[in-house]
Amino acid sequence: MEVFEKIKELKQYLASAKKSGKSIGFVPTMGALHLGHIALINESKQQNDITVCSVFVNPTQFNDKTDLDKYPRTLEADKKLLEAAQCDVLFAPSVNEIYPVANNSDEQKTINVNLGLLDKVMEGAMRPGHFRGVIQVVSRLFDIVEPNKAYFGQKDFQQLAVIKAMTKQLNYPVDIVGCSIVRENDGLAMSSRNVRLNADERAAAPLISKTLFKVKELADKLSSEELKILVAHELADSAHLKLEYFEIVNSETLQPINKPEEVAHSVACIAVWAGKVRLIDNVILY
Ligand code: AMP
């Protein structure tokens, strides 16, 4: 596996690959890699000649400084996992390499994309500025890597919708591929933040996906309001989990709907605090 920290060197390498007609698949990550990330790598490897994975903890998408400081950084272990998955290229730049002027400045976040209502709900409402930061870094990474296809997990369902909107509006010639959620055996969605859970929180956390699966089972019988009450009730008994939001939304517009069956495509999304760790998950209903 080729490892690059510098934009210039990565671009040189990719330019010669592109010259010889090779297609590039790109998997942007913040590292602390797990099998959810590796599923994206595998998908990219199947569909492209060269797979590039980036590991970059992007400061501009964190609205909570403690979350940024505590975000796990495990580059050596990440390298091993990527080598085992036969990833072709790892791009692991410094913050200065990506944001050479001033880190974290609002000015740098102003990329001309109209997200409409996409970032007004759920993660957008709870984490002000988060999606502006995501758009900023992904557009920068797209400019550097110039991939043919880019791979994102449905685990971050709203992020996938935002990236699709950004790609369309900025006319990037990149196919955005959404990949299914990879879960632990007990149903917990894999996440880099799971390593921060203590034993009690980890033991409690599978209740999140269990509750979502129950919602899916009952989606044709109950209204969104009734399902919200059910979810609040299921989680209320846990001493270690605190519900932040649960929404049933149209999976294209991300706007709340009254009855899951009313629209062709809907998804149930949840955010839960397990102690000081914020976990998100979702299940596609229709
Ligand atoms: P992150 O490093 O958390 O920013 O995630 C990088 C990419 O991996 C994003 O597109 C995520 O949606 C995706 N991802 C993270 N966890 C999972 C998972 N459990 N299953 C599938 N994709 C995931």
Side-chain angles (χ1 to χ4, degrees), residues 24-35:
I24 311 289
F26 179 42
V27 180
T29 80
M30 297 205 297
L33 300 181
H34 49 66
L35 295 180

PDB file of all heavy atoms in Angstrom, residues 24-35:
ATOM      1  N   ILE A  24     -10.528   5.357 -10.298  1.00  0.00           N
ATOM      2  CA  ILE A  24     -10.198   5.604  -8.887  1.00  0.00           C
ATOM      3  C   ILE A  24     -11.463   5.544  -8.035  1.00  0.00           C
ATOM      4  O   ILE A  24     -12.432   6.284  -8.281  1.00  0.00           O
ATOM      5  CB  ILE A  24      -9.574   7.015  -8.698  1.00  0.00           C
ATOM      6  CG1 ILE A  24      -8.445   7.283  -9.696  1.00  0.00           C
ATOM      7  CG2 ILE A  24      -9.113   7.227  -7.245  1.00  0.00           C
ATOM      8  CD1 ILE A  24      -7.176   6.527  -9.485  1.00  0.00           C
ATOM      9  N   GLY A  25     -11.450   4.700  -7.015  1.00  0.00           N
ATOM     10  CA  GLY A  25     -12.522   4.666  -6.007  1.00  0.00           C
ATOM     11  C   GLY A  25     -11.995   5.299  -4.736  1.00  0.00           C
ATOM     12  O   GLY A  25     -10.837   5.083  -4.358  1.00  0.00           O
ATOM     13  N   PHE A  26     -12.834   6.077  -4.071  1.00  0.00           N
ATOM     14  CA  PHE A  26     -12.364   6.856  -2.912  1.00  0.00           C
ATOM     15  C   PHE A  26     -13.249   6.599  -1.689  1.00  0.00           C
ATOM     16  O   PHE A  26     -14.483   6.649  -1.785  1.00  0.00           O
ATOM     17  CB  PHE A  26     -12.389   8.349  -3.282  1.00  0.00           C
ATOM     18  CG  PHE A  26     -11.942   9.270  -2.178  1.00  0.00           C
ATOM     19  CD1 PHE A  26     -10.838   8.962  -1.389  1.00  0.00           C
ATOM     20  CD2 PHE A  26     -12.630  10.456  -1.939  1.00  0.00           C
ATOM     21  CE1 PHE A  26     -10.425   9.816  -0.372  1.00  0.00           C
ATOM     22  CE2 PHE A  26     -12.222  11.314  -0.924  1.00  0.00           C
ATOM     23  CZ  PHE A  26     -11.120  10.993  -0.144  1.00  0.00           C
ATOM     24  N   VAL A  27     -12.587   6.338  -0.555  1.00  0.00           N
ATOM     25  CA  VAL A  27     -13.306   6.106   0.704  1.00  0.00           C
ATOM     26  C   VAL A  27     -12.788   7.099   1.748  1.00  0.00           C
ATOM     27  O   VAL A  27     -11.736   6.872   2.367  1.00  0.00           O
ATOM     28  CB  VAL A  27     -13.082   4.653   1.201  1.00  0.00           C
ATOM     29  CG1 VAL A  27     -13.829   4.420   2.516  1.00  0.00           C
ATOM     30  CG2 VAL A  27     -13.514   3.640   0.151  1.00  0.00           C
ATOM     31  N   PRO A  28     -13.493   8.213   1.958  1.00  0.00           N
ATOM     32  CA  PRO A  28     -13.044   9.164   2.993  1.00  0.00           C
ATOM     33  C   PRO A  28     -13.458   8.700   4.386  1.00  0.00           C
ATOM     34  O   PRO A  28     -14.609   8.295   4.582  1.00  0.00           O
ATOM     35  CB  PRO A  28     -13.779  10.478   2.632  1.00  0.00           C
ATOM     36  CG  PRO A  28     -14.803  10.139   1.617  1.00  0.00           C
ATOM     37  CD  PRO A  28     -14.655   8.700   1.211  1.00  0.00           C
ATOM     38  N   THR A  29     -12.507   8.741   5.324  1.00  0.00           N
ATOM     39  CA  THR A  29     -12.819   8.337   6.707  1.00  0.00           C
ATOM     40  C   THR A  29     -12.108   9.274   7.686  1.00  0.00           C
ATOM     41  O   THR A  29     -11.227  10.042   7.299  1.00  0.00           O
ATOM     42  CB  THR A  29     -12.328   6.905   7.036  1.00  0.00           C
ATOM     43  OG1 THR A  29     -10.914   6.958   7.335  1.00  0.00           O
ATOM     44  CG2 THR A  29     -12.556   5.933   5.900  1.00  0.00           C
ATOM     45  N   MET A  30     -12.503   9.127   8.954  1.00  0.00           N
ATOM     46  CA  MET A  30     -11.773   9.834  10.017  1.00  0.00           C
ATOM     47  C   MET A  30     -10.915   8.853  10.822  1.00  0.00           C
ATOM     48  O   MET A  30     -10.500   9.159  11.942  1.00  0.00           O
ATOM     49  CB  MET A  30     -12.750  10.583  10.921  1.00  0.00           C
ATOM     50  CG  MET A  30     -13.507  11.669  10.143  1.00  0.00           C
ATOM     51  SD  MET A  30     -14.094  12.995  11.161  1.00  0.00           S
ATOM     52  CE  MET A  30     -15.226  12.128  12.214  1.00  0.00           C
ATOM     53  N   GLY A  31     -10.678   7.674  10.248  1.00  0.00           N
ATOM     54  CA  GLY A  31      -9.794   6.717  10.904  1.00  0.00           C
ATOM     55  C   GLY A  31     -10.472   5.958  12.038  1.00  0.00           C
ATOM     56  O   GLY A  31     -11.696   5.909  12.098  1.00  0.00           O
ATOM     57  N   ALA A  32      -9.624   5.360  12.930  1.00  0.00           N
ATOM     58  CA  ALA A  32     -10.125   4.425  13.941  1.00  0.00           C
ATOM     59  C   ALA A  32     -10.997   3.393  13.211  1.00  0.00           C
ATOM     60  O   ALA A  32     -12.159   3.172  13.537  1.00  0.00           O
ATOM     61  CB  ALA A  32     -10.895   5.133  15.045  1.00  0.00           C
ATOM     62  N   LEU A  33     -10.373   2.799  12.218  1.00  0.00           N
ATOM     63  CA  LEU A  33     -11.121   1.984  11.258  1.00  0.00           C
ATOM     64  C   LEU A  33     -11.650   0.690  11.866  1.00  0.00           C
ATOM     65  O   LEU A  33     -11.043   0.103  12.756  1.00  0.00           O
ATOM     66  CB  LEU A  33     -10.225   1.662  10.047  1.00  0.00           C
ATOM     67  CG  LEU A  33      -9.700   2.874   9.281  1.00  0.00           C
ATOM     68  CD1 LEU A  33      -8.841   2.409   8.095  1.00  0.00           C
ATOM     69  CD2 LEU A  33     -10.824   3.782   8.804  1.00  0.00           C
ATOM     70  N   HIS A  34     -12.806   0.286  11.351  1.00  0.00           N
ATOM     71  CA  HIS A  34     -13.434  -0.973  11.769  1.00  0.00           C
ATOM     72  C   HIS A  34     -14.014  -1.635  10.522  1.00  0.00           C
ATOM     73  O   HIS A  34     -13.837  -1.122   9.397  1.00  0.00           O
ATOM     74  CB  HIS A  34     -14.509  -0.708  12.832  1.00  0.00           C
ATOM     75  CG  HIS A  34     -15.465   0.388  12.461  1.00  0.00           C
ATOM     76  ND1 HIS A  34     -16.342   0.284  11.406  1.00  0.00           N
ATOM     77  CD2 HIS A  34     -15.656   1.634  12.967  1.00  0.00           C
ATOM     78  CE1 HIS A  34     -17.052   1.386  11.299  1.00  0.00           C
ATOM     79  NE2 HIS A  34     -16.648   2.244  12.231  1.00  0.00           N
ATOM     80  N   LEU A  35     -14.736  -2.730  10.711  1.00  0.00           N
ATOM     81  CA  LEU A  35     -15.209  -3.491   9.552  1.00  0.00           C
ATOM     82  C   LEU A  35     -16.249  -2.744   8.717  1.00  0.00           C
ATOM     83  O   LEU A  35     -16.472  -3.075   7.553  1.00  0.00           O
ATOM     84  CB  LEU A  35     -15.759  -4.854  10.003  1.00  0.00           C
ATOM     85  CG  LEU A  35     -14.694  -5.784  10.607  1.00  0.00           C
ATOM     86  CD1 LEU A  35     -15.314  -7.113  11.029  1.00  0.00           C
ATOM     87  CD2 LEU A  35     -13.555  -6.030   9.609  1.00  0.00           C
TER      88      LEU A  35
END
